[in-house]
Amino acid sequence: MRRRIVLSLLSLAMSGAAIGQAPADDPATVVAAVRAAITERYVLPDTAAKLSAALADPQRYRGLSGDALAERIDTDMHQVTADKHLGIRYDPKMAAMLGSQPLPDDDAAMPPAMARMIARHNGGVRAMEVLPGNIRMIAYDGFEWGTPEAEAAITGAMQFLRGGDAYIIDLRRNGGGSPGAVAALASYFVPAGTPLMHFEMRGRPGEATTAPKAPFSLAGKPLYVLTSGGTASAAEEFATHVSALGFGTLVGERTAGAGFRNDLLPVGKSYVLSVSSGRAISLKTGKDWEAVGVAPGIAVPVDRAPAAAQAAAMTAIAAKSSGDDRREAERLAAFYRATVTPVRAGHPLADYAGSYGERRLAVSGDRLTTSRGGRAPSVLVPVEANVMVPEGDPLSRFRFVEKDGRIVALEVERIDGTVERIARGTGA
């Protein structure tokens, strides 16, 4: 399979030799090179003809250069199609990187600058976190591939997830990358040899992908994948596999709908063109996601997706637990649900504010906070009418005691069952 290298959030790949290497980046030369590349490579021949025609008037580009020329060409192309993989930008550094070492065949070595970039990005794995309830979450911002560092990053991230009782993979900022990285990630959740994708390529033989053999399996535990309108291209391929093959649940918003596969090409000395050269089709559904995206199983605003996934994960964990483990999981699930769908407190927040022993409760904006002993305040999240949970200690419960319509005491209930009752200060 042709090597694919992530270059930016919406840039999947580069392949083929450099085009349009003119001695100067005059508008006529740049536009002619763009038209030639689109005519040769664009995945839909009819649309390619319309795109070329839209760029045919030289008067529209006369006197333009740099970003202004790129923006005018980009605007004219997107009058024809909303294809999110199609675009041009003024980027002399990237153009030089692409032009200095083109990839003429599948066995070509990766340009050193690309390999360094992938290493610095940690193969796209931005963060790993252990959440309350032993949910393991990774933030994966790009399906980068083609180097030992990229492969090691995925292996390391999967090894990290392996210790969790449930998994969350955050793709909300992931704009795509390599089908090879997608197959590698999917292989931890499906059997080796599972059919994944077929790529219909303009002017080249089609390509099919299957899941390789992974070092170990993560199947059998709850998996939640966070998506947004910025989840695009190869990230949508993985989202498609999660949904179609049923090994996880998508949480968040519908994805971008960028379903084509693209080549990234230098134009002249200073411009970089992304041109859609292939169509990605799921071997499970027989469909692509171009212009429609992938719908989540749990639809919530993108900023609430982590909490919604944590609530679903803890609910699933609780269903398989017993005793103290079940009690802990149910408490965490209730807390996460309340952060997704706020619960109204039984009184105005000011009615709870005041001193309870050495603990101080105060209203901050539209939230109630708790602090003591000089520690930083923690927000209290209502989970029932007069029951709140501190964000910094979500296994505890703050139950407010009411008498004659007034809050008179606070009962702090720990996960071990102990309860501390504290009278409200007389001056409160």
Side-chain angles (χ1 to χ4, degrees):
M1 180 179 294
R2 186 174 295 273
R3 291 182 182 269
R4 298 282 160 173
I5 303 168
V6 173
L7 298 171
S8 69
L9 286 182
L10 288 179
S11 296
L12 266 176
M14 73 177 193
S15 64
I19 63 172
Q21 294 295 317
D25 285 340
D26 62 278
T29 301
V30 171
V31 173
V34 171
R35 294 180 69 193
I38 288 173
T39 299
E40 176 188 357
R41 293 171 179 266
Y42 194 80
V43 60
L44 304 176
D46 290 346
T47 302
K50 294 176 182 178
L51 287 166
S52 182
L55 302 175
D57 182 4
Q59 297 301 322
R60 283 195 50 79
Y61 313 105
R62 182 167 294 172
L64 298 179
S65 61
D67 290 330
L69 177 58
E71 289 171 7
R72 177 67 58 83
I73 294 171
D74 210 53
T75 297
D76 289 349
M77 291 192 298
H78 285 103
Q79 292 296 319
V80 176
T81 175
D83 181 350
K84 295 180 180 180
H85 276 114
L86 178 66
I88 186 170
R89 68 177 183 267
Y90 177 69
D91 191 342
K93 183 176 180 180
M94 183 62 70
M97 187 185 301
L98 290 169
S100 65
Q101 192 169 347
L103 300 184
D105 56 51
D106 294 352
D107 297 322
M110 179 177 292
M114 298 289 184
R116 287 195 299 272
M117 180 180 65
I118 289 173
R120 292 179 66 185
H121 291 171
N122 191 39
V125 179
R126 176 171 53 84
M128 296 186 285
E129 185 177 3
V130 180
L131 302 169
N134 194 27
I135 301 170
R136 302 290 179 97
M137 182 169 75
I138 66 167
Y140 190 36
D141 289 354
F143 282 86
E144 303 185 6
W145 203 239
T147 68
E149 290 82 2
E151 295 182 24
I154 286 185
T155 301
M158 296 302 98
Q159 185 66 55
F160 169 77
L161 292 183
R162 191 180 190 183
D165 293 319
Y167 322 123
I168 297 175
I169 300 177
D170 186 353
L171 300 183
R172 290 175 297 169
R173 295 172 53 181
N174 193 312
S178 165
V182 175
L185 186 60
S187 72
Y188 287 89
F189 302 97
V190 298
T194 299
L196 297 177
M197 299 297 296
H198 177 72
F199 296 97
E200 296 178 351
M201 307 302 294
R202 172 77 183 275
R204 286 179 282 176
E207 301 174 356
T209 60
T210 59
K213 182 175 176 57
F216 52 87
S217 175
L218 296 179
K221 293 181 181 178
L223 167 67
Y224 301 88
V225 177
L226 310 186
T227 61
S228 74
T231 304
S233 195
E236 292 179 277
E237 180 194 333
F238 185 75
T240 295
H241 299 324
V242 171
S243 179
L245 298 175
F247 59 84
T249 302
L250 303 181
V251 183
E253 298 176 353
R254 183 178 290 271
T255 62
F260 289 149
R261 184 169 173 179
N262 67 325
D263 294 332
L264 208 63
L265 306 168
V267 176
K269 295 182 178 179
S270 304
Y271 296 85
V272 177
L273 173 70
S274 173
V275 57
S276 299
S277 58
R279 177 179 173 228
I281 303 171
S282 165
L283 290 173
K284 179 66 175 180
T285 67
K287 300 177 181 179
D288 65 18
W289 55 89
E290 177 65 23
V292 297
V294 185
I298 301 175
V300 293
V302 65
D303 60 329
R304 296 184 182 179
Q310 288 168 271
M314 291 315 308
T315 300
I317 291 170
K320 295 183 178 181
S321 303
S322 60
D324 290 343
D325 289 343
R326 185 184 185 95
R327 184 162 171 258
E328 177 179 325
E330 288 175 341
R331 281 198 173 193
L332 289 172
F335 167 70
Y336 291 131
R337 283 195 295 269
T339 63
V340 178
T341 305
V343 175
R344 186 170 182 173
H347 289 258
L349 296 184
D351 288 1
Y352 300 100
S355 298
Y356 299 81
E358 64 176 2
R359 188 179 298 276
R360 177 73 178 173
L361 273 60
V363 177
S364 177
D366 61 351
R367 295 182 170 189
L368 187 68
T369 65
T370 177
S371 62
R372 64 174 179 172
R375 299 174 186 173
S378 179
V379 172
L380 289 173
V381 178
V383 295
E384 298 176 29
N386 280 333
V387 181
M388 302 187 190
V389 176
E391 283 186 341
D393 183 15
L395 291 176
S396 294
R397 290 289 182 271
F398 282 25
R399 297 184 182 275
F400 293 93
V401 180
E402 184 177 349
K403 183 178 181 180
D404 298 328
R406 182 176 180 273
I407 303 299
V408 297
L410 168 65
E411 292 182 346
V412 179
E413 181 183 340
R414 307 295 183 189
I415 189 61
D416 62 5
T418 60
V419 178
E420 178 187 8
R421 183 184 176 108
I422 313 162
R424 191 179 186 196
T426 56

